[in-house]
């Protein structure tokens, strides 16, 4: 018997919403300007799945495909690179608008600033993004990965010239390790997308970096004649991406925001647990956090992001691994006429969930709560491509994590 999807409506008391300003349109515009200065920059595709929308009984379905991002197969580099630029700008007493790729790779910059060492913990995509950006900008990177991390993801980080290790502890402990080492290193700085008391500035910059993806998607929808999505599904590990997406679209449509659905892996559903408790306080999930969705295997929420989510999200959903596997198969083998989206384990869970909600009446209560119907225009984010080839084949070719 397959494990059930669990969900809860958001009944938490509202806060003052002071963190919404982090994702202001002006802040996101700065991030987009910075990213567009890289020679490797191009806007990633927004796949329009008309056939799938019709099959599921929706008005429209759009998937932002981050497998094309900077050749890195995932969106994460947007956050780490912009945080580096903001950190360097602050150290130099300059504005981030001056931190273009050309300047950061110039001899003048090297003489003036020198080198910093950027420490981070990762299950793969974030560390690869930090290592890639450090490599391109002539900086140093040290990356720690939790136990069970895959060899291909390790190799991709090492290839960028970072110092990288796989540790015998979980992700949240790797974060603590990176923070401790950075504190003892001259010009050492932690670049982590999870915020905690006293460590809030860099995570807020990472969230702004993620805003580039949301901003591109909003522009692409308009070009397709969709003024605004009615529903946005976004997956969450620590919740930084979710907070960035929800914050951006709330600022873009302040009078009529889309309905937001936050999607998590069952093994690491800290945001769902917080919403379930309902008092507005974040909750922590610990243990090994074993899930196919390695990028979402984080048990401690980003407190900045949590504040945005508790104020603006309609539903929090906790998904067993089969939901993600089903999403990978549906995107990878699309309805005839739709583009193929190669989506990894952490990228496809929104698709799997949307299908489960729409295909049967098993989750009718959630469908009714969200008001999903034939007029709905739904936006999903496929945050990674095929970043673990063996796992991808096992799911798509061998039917690992079946739906029934």
């Amino acid at each position: 018997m397959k494990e059930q999807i669990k969900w809860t409506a958001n009944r938490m008391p509202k806060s003052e919403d002071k963190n919404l300003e982090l994702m202001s349109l002006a802040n996101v515009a700065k991030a987009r300007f910075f990213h567009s200065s890289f020679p490797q920059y191009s806007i990633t595709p927004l796949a329009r799945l008309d056939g799938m929308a019709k099959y599921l009984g929706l008005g429209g379905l759009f998937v932002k495909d981050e497998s094309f991002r900077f050749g890195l197969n995932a969106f994460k580099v947007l956050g780490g690179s912009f945080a580096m630029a903001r950190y360097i700008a602050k150290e130099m007493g300059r504005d981030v608008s001056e931190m273009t790729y050309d300047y950061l790779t110039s001899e003048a910059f090297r003489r003036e600033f020198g080198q910093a060492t950027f420490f981070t913990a990762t299950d793969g995509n974030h560390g690869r993004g930090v290592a890639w950006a450090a490599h391109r900008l002539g900086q140093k990177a040290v990356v720690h990965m939790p136990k069970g991390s895959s060899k291909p993801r390790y190799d991709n980080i090492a290839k960028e010239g970072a110092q990288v290790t796989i540790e015998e502890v979980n992700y949240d402990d790797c974060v603590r390790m990176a923070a401790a080492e950075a504190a003892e290193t001259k010009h050492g700085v932690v670049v982590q997308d999870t915020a905690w008391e006293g460590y809030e500035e860099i995570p807020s910059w990472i969230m702004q970096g993620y805003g580039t993806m949301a901003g591109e998607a909003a522009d692409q929808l308009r070009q397709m004649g969709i003024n605004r999505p009615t529903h946005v599904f976004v997956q969450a590990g620590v919740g930084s991406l979710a907070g960035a997406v929800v914050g951006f679209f709330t600022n873009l449509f302040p009078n009529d925001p889309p309905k937001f659905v936050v999607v998590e892996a069952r093994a690491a559903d800290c945001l769902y647990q917080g919403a379930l408790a309902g008092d507005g306080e974040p909750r922590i999930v610990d243990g090994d956090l074993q899930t196919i969705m390695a990028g979402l295997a984080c048990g401690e929420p980003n407190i900045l992001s949590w504040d945005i989510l508790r104020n603006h999200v309609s539903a929090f959903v906790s998904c067993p691994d089969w939901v993600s596997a089903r999403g990978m198969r549906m995107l990878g083998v699309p309805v005839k006429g739709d583009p193929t989206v190669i989506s990894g384990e952490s990228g496809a869970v929104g698709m799997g969930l949307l299908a489960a909600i729409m295909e049967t009446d098993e989750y009718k209560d959630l469908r009714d709560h969200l008001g999903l119907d034939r007029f709905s225009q739904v936006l999903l984010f496929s945050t990674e491509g095929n970043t673990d080839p063996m796992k991808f084949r096992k799911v798509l070719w061998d039917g690992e994590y079946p739906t029934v």
Side-chain angles (χ1 to χ4, degrees):
M1 186 60 190
K2 71 179 182 194
E3 216 181 331
Q4 293 292 99
I5 295 166
K6 295 179 182 172
W7 72 279
T8 181
N10 182 2
R11 298 191 180 86
M12 290 181 277
K14 300 274 192 278
S15 73
E16 293 163 15
D17 214 15
K18 63 182 190 302
N19 291 329
L20 187 63
E21 180 56 30
L22 290 177
M23 296 309 300
S24 71
L25 304 186
N27 283 337
V28 172
K30 282 187 175 184
R32 287 185 74 177
F33 175 77
F34 167 71
H35 290 132
S36 67
S37 78
F38 277 71
Q40 300 88 347
Y41 174 77
S42 63
I43 293 171
T44 56
L46 184 70
R48 182 173 191 153
L49 305 184
D50 288 341
M52 188 69 81
K54 192 175 175 191
Y55 169 74
L56 293 175
L58 296 164
L61 177 56
F62 306 87
V63 182
K64 184 70 167 149
D65 185 354
E66 287 297 296
S67 66
F68 293 89
R69 184 66 67 189
F70 283 138
L72 294 176
N73 221 354
F75 80 103
K76 285 276 189 174
V77 64
L78 294 172
S81 60
F82 188 60
M84 284 183 194
R86 293 272 324 233
Y87 169 79
I88 291 167
K90 188 179 178 187
E91 289 288 293
M92 298 178 80
R94 310 268 280 276
D95 188 76
V96 72
S97 60
E98 299 174 55
M99 301 295 131
T100 61
Y101 178 87
D102 285 349
Y103 172 65
L104 290 171
T105 52
S106 69
E107 199 47 54
F109 169 74
R110 168 74 74 245
R111 280 197 305 272
E112 210 176 331
F113 180 78
Q115 255 188 339
T117 304
F118 295 94
F119 290 83
T120 194
T122 186
D123 55 76
N125 295 335
H126 171 68
R128 188 180 183 187
V130 168
W132 181 88
H135 187 190
R136 296 295 172 290
L137 302 178
Q139 304 295 314
K140 290 194 272 198
V142 177
V143 181
H144 295 309
M145 303 181 76
K147 67 177 175 183
S149 292
S150 88
K151 183 78 166 62
R153 287 177 179 151
Y154 172 94
D155 292 342
N156 279 328
I157 294 168
K159 230 167 27 199
E160 296 295 345
Q163 189 184 318
V164 53
T165 65
I166 296 180
E167 302 294 339
E168 275 305 303
V169 296
N170 74 14
Y171 168 82
D172 298 299
D173 287 331
C174 281
V175 172
R176 287 183 261 277
M177 189 181 288
E181 288 176 14
E184 291 169 9
T185 305
K186 193 180 178 196
H187 298 308
V189 59
V190 187
V191 181
Q192 211 62 49
D193 69 351
T194 187
W196 56 85
E197 288 297 333
Y199 182 73
E200 295 169 358
E201 196 168 45
I202 286 172
S204 74
W205 297 338
I206 289 176
M207 288 170 66
Q208 289 166 0
Y210 294 161
T212 289
M213 178 179 69
E216 287 176 3
D219 288 350
Q220 288 166 305
L221 281 171
R222 270 194 215 105
Q223 286 155 15
M224 293 175 179
I226 309 296
N227 180 44
R228 74 171 187 104
T230 59
H231 297 77
V232 177
F233 284 60
V234 60
Q235 52 274 55
V238 297
S240 300
L241 165 69
V245 167
V246 170
F248 172 78
F249 278 102
T250 301
N251 281 315
L252 187 61
F253 302 109
N255 302 322
D256 190 17
K259 284 186 179 160
F260 299 107
V261 184
V262 167
V263 191
E264 288 178 287
R266 171 64 43 84
D269 56 4
C270 53
L271 303 171
Y272 165 79
Q273 295 297 342
L276 200 59
D279 56 13
E281 292 302 312
R283 295 297 190 275
I284 288 173
V285 173
D286 52 23
D288 280 351
L289 313 178
Q290 284 302 311
T291 170
I292 182 180
M293 296 168 259
L296 309 183
C298 316
E300 300 186 24
N302 171 343
I303 55 175
L304 302 175
S305 197
W306 171 251
D307 189 57
I308 293 173
L309 300 176
R310 68 180 270 198
N311 287 315
H312 301 286
V313 170
S314 290
F316 291 82
V317 188
S318 170
C319 291
D321 285 346
W322 66 260
V323 180
S324 163
R326 179 105 199 284
M328 290 167 70
R329 290 190 275 266
M330 292 181 82
L331 290 169
V333 189
V335 173
K336 190 175 182 190
D338 284 356
T340 298
V341 177
I342 298 299
S343 186
E345 305 85 27
S346 297
V349 65
M351 180 69 241
L353 172 62
L354 181 62
I357 294 171
M358 298 306 295
E359 281 181 313
T360 70
D361 280 345
E362 195 173 353
Y363 302 106
K364 184 178 184 300
D365 51 352
L366 178 51
R367 185 168 72 224
D368 291 345
H369 172 71
L370 295 172
L372 280 163
D373 59 27
R374 61 197 175 90
F375 303 108
S376 301
Q377 303 287 346
V378 182
L379 173 63
L380 308 176
F381 292 90
S382 176
T383 46
E384 64 171 3
N386 180 359
T387 55
D388 186 349
M390 288 314 296
K391 174 59 78 181
F392 190 86
R393 284 179 199 159
K394 279 181 178 164
V395 172
L396 261 78
W397 293 4
D398 304 335
E400 202 172 64
Y401 304 96
T403 308
V404 290

